[in-house]
């Protein structure tokens, strides 16, 4: 076997039950079914005389955060969205994503200045399904890695 570590560390693999999503005050958003964050990099292309290869240099990046919330009650998020639409001043939130390791270590990432971006569900009702509200955010500050998972 070439990759001996993969099978040896499989007991440390994490699943969704090991994750959590908190607001800026550290309050668990227990109704969040799933969340994900992504970064996309946009490079600038250029060509140099005498070189047939097109090159790229780092230009910009964008961080997005998406969550699916099970609707249990009208919480602060939806209340703030309706207030923002009425007053025409969008809210900014700070959120925390956490993944807990088997040994109690945790990976914690703080997402600051999150603003609603794209489509946000106000109501999303389907017969026979749990009612969920999907949220999309642009993260306007680079995420901060607060702590790392380890297997020690």
């Amino acid at each position: 076997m070439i990759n001996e570590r993969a099978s040896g560390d499989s007991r440390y693999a994490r699943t969704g039950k090991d994750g959590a999503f908190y607001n800026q005050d550290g309050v668990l958003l227990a109704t969040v079914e799933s969340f994900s964050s992504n970064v996309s990099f946009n490079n600038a292309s250029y060509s140099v005389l005498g070189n047939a290869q097109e090159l790229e240099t780092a230009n910009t990046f964008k961080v997005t955060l998406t969550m699916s919330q099970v609707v249990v009650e009208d919480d602060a998020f939806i209340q703030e969205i309706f207030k923002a639409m009425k007053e025409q001043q969008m809210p900014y939130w700070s959120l925390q994503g956490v993944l807990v390791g088997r040994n109690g270590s945790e990976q914690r990432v703080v997402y600051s200045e999150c603003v609603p971006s794209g489509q946000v569900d106000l109501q999303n009702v389907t017969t026979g399904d749990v009612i969920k509200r999907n949220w999309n955010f642009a993260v306007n500050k680079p995420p901060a890695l607060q702590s790392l998972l380890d297997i020690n």
Side-chain angles (χ1 to χ4, degrees):
M1 178 182 279
I2 294 173
N3 186 353
E4 295 177 9
R5 184 175 176 153
S7 62
D9 289 347
S10 63
R11 66 188 182 276
Y12 292 102
R14 303 292 79 208
T15 64
K17 68 177 177 44
D18 301 306
F21 197 61
Y22 298 88
N23 70 10
Q24 64 190 9
D25 299 321
V27 176
L28 178 65
L29 299 174
T31 59
V32 173
E33 179 184 52
S34 65
F35 76 92
S36 67
S37 62
N38 298 281
V39 61
S40 60
F41 294 93
N42 302 299
N43 295 335
S45 298
Y46 66 97
S47 298
V48 179
L49 290 176
N51 186 347
Q53 182 177 359
E54 183 177 279
L55 306 171
E56 290 189 2
T57 187
N59 191 15
T60 63
F61 67 93
K62 180 178 181 178
V63 178
T64 58
L65 181 63
T66 304
M67 73 172 181
S68 174
Q69 177 184 30
V70 177
V71 176
V72 176
E73 61 184 344
D74 286 334
D75 61 7
F77 275 130
I78 196 67
Q79 292 174 37
E80 288 181 38
I81 284 291
F82 276 98
K83 180 180 176 188
M85 290 186 298
K86 181 178 180 181
E87 296 176 358
Q88 297 188 10
Q89 186 167 347
M90 290 303 113
Y92 285 82
W93 291 294
S94 290
L95 303 166
Q96 303 174 46
V98 175
L99 181 60
V100 178
R102 188 172 185 173
N103 59 359
S105 66
E106 70 176 22
Q107 179 191 66
R108 182 176 296 262
V109 177
V110 175
Y111 304 95
S112 298
E113 294 186 17
C114 299
V115 63
S117 178
Q119 184 171 310
V120 172
D121 289 342
L122 299 179
Q123 289 186 314
N124 185 357
V125 180
T126 304
T127 301
D129 197 4
V130 173
I131 299 173
K132 299 174 189 169
R133 186 176 291 131
N134 295 304
W135 294 83
N136 297 292
F137 302 95
V139 181
N140 286 316
K141 282 193 171 178
L145 182 60
Q146 299 291 306
S147 57
L148 294 170
L149 288 174
D150 65 44
I151 57 172
N152 296 323

